[in-house]
Amino acid sequence: FWGAVRPAQLSCVFWLASRILLSAVTSAAAGESGPQVSAREWEQFELLNELRAAGYTSPGVDAEDGAIEYAPNLVPLQFDCRLWRAARLHSQDMVDADYFSNIS
């Protein structure tokens, strides 16, 4: 899949990966510890770190040379359960209230 992504689509892939990670709502629950991160959410999180590590060159964006280069970021994102839970609750709120916004 990733080999088929054209450079112009990569920023959309970054956005999509972050949306999937933040908006995935699973039905899994584990007793007192509450909801668990799904396999799909974890896979998206790992893919996002891989994309960051690979870097990106955006064609035709910069007026001077036609490209903007984003150097690889070798510092992986650290998973934060509190942030994951807040994102999950916000995503569920958007579904329940039928809206889309970064602000509740």
Side-chain angles (χ1 to χ4, degrees), residues 4 6 10 14-15 22-23 36-37 46 51 54 73 76 83 86 91 93 103:
R6 295 188 310 265
L10 198 51
F14 280 115
W15 181 85
L22 295 177
S23 68
Q36 300 294 303
V37 177
E46 289 179 331
L51 287 169
N73 187 336
L83 180 60
S91 296
D93 181 53
I103 302 171

Side-chain angles (χ1 to χ4, degrees), residues 58-69:
S58 177
V61 175
D62 186 35
E64 293 179 12
D65 63 8
I68 295 178
E69 185 172 328

Side-chain angles (χ1 to χ4, degrees), residues 8-79:
Q9 297 172 320
L10 198 51
S11 61
C12 292
V13 172
F14 280 115
W15 181 85
L16 178 61
S18 67
R19 289 290 96 185
I20 290 172
L21 175 65
L22 295 177
S23 68
V25 177
T26 64
S27 61
E32 296 175 21
S33 65
Q36 300 294 303
V37 177
S38 71
R40 182 179 180 133
E41 289 170 311
W42 191 253
E43 177 186 20
Q44 293 300 317
F45 181 74
E46 289 179 331
L47 289 172
L48 187 57
N49 273 331
E50 288 177 22
L51 287 169
R52 287 168 42 91
Y56 175 65
T57 299
S58 177
V61 175
D62 186 35
E64 293 179 12
D65 63 8
I68 295 178
E69 185 172 328
Y70 298 92
N73 187 336
L74 301 179
V75 179
L77 296 172
Q78 298 297 312
F79 192 84

